[in-house]
Amino acid sequence: MESLFKPQNSIIQRFKSYNGLEIEIDIRREDLLHAAVSGNKLRKLKYNLLEAQKLNLHTILTYGGAFSNHIAATAAAGNVLGLKTIGIIRGQELGDDFVKTLSNNATLELAHKNGMQFHFVSREAYREKDSTAFQEELKLKFGLFYNIPEGGTNLLAVKGTEEILTEGDTTNYDIVCVAAGTGGTAAGIINSTAPQQKVIVFSALKGGFMRADIEKYTWRSDFEVVDETAFGGYAKSDDRLIDYMNTRFRESVTIKNPRGIPLEPIYTAKMMYGIEQMVERAVIKGKTRILAVHTGGLQSIAGYNKMLSKKRRIKLSYENQF
Ligand SMILES: *Cc1c(COP(=O)(O)O)cnc(C)c1O
C-alpha cells in the first residue's frame, strides 16, 4: 500500500511570470504524483484505503458520472493494491450496450481495464444513492464493502488533501489557488496554509453553495470562492478556453520541461484562466507569489475532445502528448 503513496510531495514548476509586475505564478504538479492514480483523487483515497485495510474490507464501492476522475482513480488504485472496486455509475442507459459504452468512453474503458465492476443506475436512483433503501439494496447485491462518497470527499479524504502543501509553501507563497468540485481538496488546502496566506478557490460549478460545502471541513473562513460563471457552468467551455489551453501548453513545452504543463478543461484550466484574469484586471497586484495546485484529471481530455469533435469545435491539441 505504501508505494502508492510515495513520493509524498509533488514538484513545483513556474507557470507564468509577469515582467515588471513582480507577480509570479507557480504550479504544484499533483497530476504527476503517480502514473496511474492522478492528483487530488489519490490524496483523497489515501486514508480511506488505509481505513478499509484496517477494517479488513477488500471491496471499495463508490459513485460517479461517466467521465468522473474519481471513478478512474478509484479503479486504478484498486488495481495497484489488488482490491475489488465497484462503481455505481449515473445513467442506466449506459448499461444497455456495455461494449458500445466502453468503446465510446475512455474513462469507463480504463476503469474497466483496471478491474472495476459497474452498476449503472437511472438518474433518479442515483440522486437517492445515499438513502437507506438504496444502501440496503447495495449491501444485498454486493455484500460487505468500504463505501466512499461521490467525488471521494469525507473527513479522511480531507486529512489526505492536507498533505498536498509542504511547509515551504506556507512561507514561499502569498496566495494559494485550488479548483473545487465537492470542496474537499480546497478544505485540506485551507487547513494547511498559514494565517497570513490567502486561499482562492475556483469552483467548477455555479450556484453559490461551494463556501458552505467547504466550511463543513474547515474551521477557517478567510478564503475566497470564485464561482464558475465565465464559461457557463460545470464542464462547459467555449473556444476561448480551449484556445487558451492550447496556447499555454505550447508555451510550457521547453528544453527544461519537454512534457510541458497540460491542463484539463473542467477544473485546472478554468482556475489558471481565472488567476490570469485577476492579474490582468489588477485584482491581484503588487509583489505577489502565487501557487496554483494542479489537481490532475488529465484522463478526461480524451472524452472531452470526443465531445468537441462531435460539436465541430476546436480541440485540445495535446491529447496524447503527456
Ligand atoms: C475532482 C477534481 C477536483 C475537485 O476536487 P474536490 O475535492 O471535489 O473539490 C479538482 N480538480 C480535478 C482535476 C479533479 O479531478
Side-chain angles (χ1 to χ4, degrees):
M1 172 120 11
E2 271 295 293
S3 67
L4 188 60
F5 307 118
K6 293 262 159 80
Q8 297 275 3
N9 300 326
S10 52
I11 60 164
I12 289 180
Q13 293 171 337
R14 174 62 39 88
F15 184 80
K16 194 174 168 76
S17 43
Y18 293 82
N19 290 336
L21 281 185
E22 288 193 293
I23 295 175
E24 280 158 2
I25 308 174
D26 284 354
I27 188 161
R28 186 171 264 300
R29 296 289 306 273
E30 288 285 294
D31 58 308
L32 297 176
L33 256 194
H34 189 274
V37 194
S38 177
N40 66 333
K41 299 306 187 287
L42 178 56
R43 300 287 188 182
K44 291 162 82 165
L45 284 168
K46 176 177 175 180
Y47 289 104
N48 278 292
L49 295 176
L50 290 169
E51 182 69 11
Q53 190 182 41
K54 215 185 284 172
L55 298 170
N56 212 17
L57 293 170
H58 304 287
T59 300
I60 309 294
L61 181 143
T62 194
Y63 315 79
F67 299 96
S68 162
N69 292 328
H70 169 63
I71 287 290
T74 305
N79 187 40
V80 172
L81 300 173
L83 296 168
K84 189 175 149 92
T85 54
I86 299 167
I88 310 301
I89 309 295
R90 182 176 55 224
Q92 195 161 28
E93 72 285 354
L94 295 169
D96 294 344
D97 188 342
F98 187 54
V99 176
K100 190 171 159 214
T101 293
L102 291 192
S103 71
N104 282 333
N105 186 306
T107 302
L108 294 181
E109 191 192 19
L110 185 63
H112 176 69
K113 277 193 189 142
N114 280 323
M116 181 174 265
Q117 178 186 345
F118 298 125
H119 179 50
F120 297 99
V121 301
S122 70
R123 272 144 240 272
E124 298 74 58
Y126 190 86
R127 227 173 288 133
E128 298 299 318
K129 62 188 175 311
D130 298 324
S131 70
T132 314
F134 189 78
Q135 288 297 317
E136 287 303 319
E137 231 177 273
L138 292 179
K139 275 183 208 154
L140 279 176
K141 199 169 166 68
F142 299 112
L144 280 178
F145 54 78
Y146 185 84
N147 207 345
I148 299 183
E150 177 183 39
T153 289
N154 56 18
L155 258 181
L156 289 175
V158 174
K159 183 175 169 184
T161 59
E162 287 170 359
E163 295 177 348
I164 293 174
L165 298 183
T166 66
E167 222 168 287
D169 294 345
T170 62
T171 50
N172 293 339
Y173 296 98
D174 306 300
I175 298 178
V176 180
C177 297
V178 63
T182 63
T185 306
I189 296 284
I190 292 163
N191 290 344
S192 57
T193 45
Q196 82 281 1
Q197 289 183 298
K198 178 174 181 166
V199 179
I200 307 177
V201 180
F202 291 86
S203 174
L205 301 101
K206 52 181 183 183
F209 49 80
M210 189 56 72
R211 170 168 289 276
D213 283 358
I214 294 170
E215 282 177 348
K216 288 179 204 158
Y217 295 102
T218 183
W219 60 91
R220 284 176 61 170
S221 56
D222 56 338
F223 59 91
E224 187 180 329
V225 178
V226 181
D227 264 16
E228 207 298 88
T229 48
F231 298 98
Y234 184 75
K236 302 234 171 78
S237 69
D238 57 20
D239 290 350
R240 178 179 45 138
L241 183 71
I242 306 299
D243 219 22
Y244 167 77
M245 294 171 72
N246 286 337
T247 305
R248 283 292 171 273
F249 180 73
R250 207 180 325 113
E251 290 170 354
S252 71
V253 177
T254 59
I255 292 169
K256 254 178 81 184
N257 183 14
R259 306 184 74 117
I261 305 175
L263 302 171
E264 50 66 52
I266 299 168
Y267 299 99
T268 51
K270 289 180 179 178
M271 167 180 66
M272 299 317 296
Y273 187 93
I275 296 169
E276 291 193 33
Q277 288 277 301
M278 284 179 153
V279 173
E280 275 157 38
R281 293 175 185 163
V283 177
I284 295 172
K285 55 179 189 284
K287 188 171 162 55
T288 314
R289 299 157 304 169
I290 303 167
L291 180 66
V293 180
H294 191 319
T295 35
L298 299 170
Q299 67 86 25
S300 72
I301 288 180
Y304 209 84
N305 259 347
K306 210 166 232 175
M307 181 276 290
L308 292 172
S309 255
K310 255 190 215 147
K311 294 191 171 169
R312 301 182 182 280
R313 286 178 43 194
I314 59 161
K315 288 173 57 177
L316 290 163
S317 59
Y318 50 89
E319 183 175 331
N320 303 308
Q321 283 179 44
F322 50 87

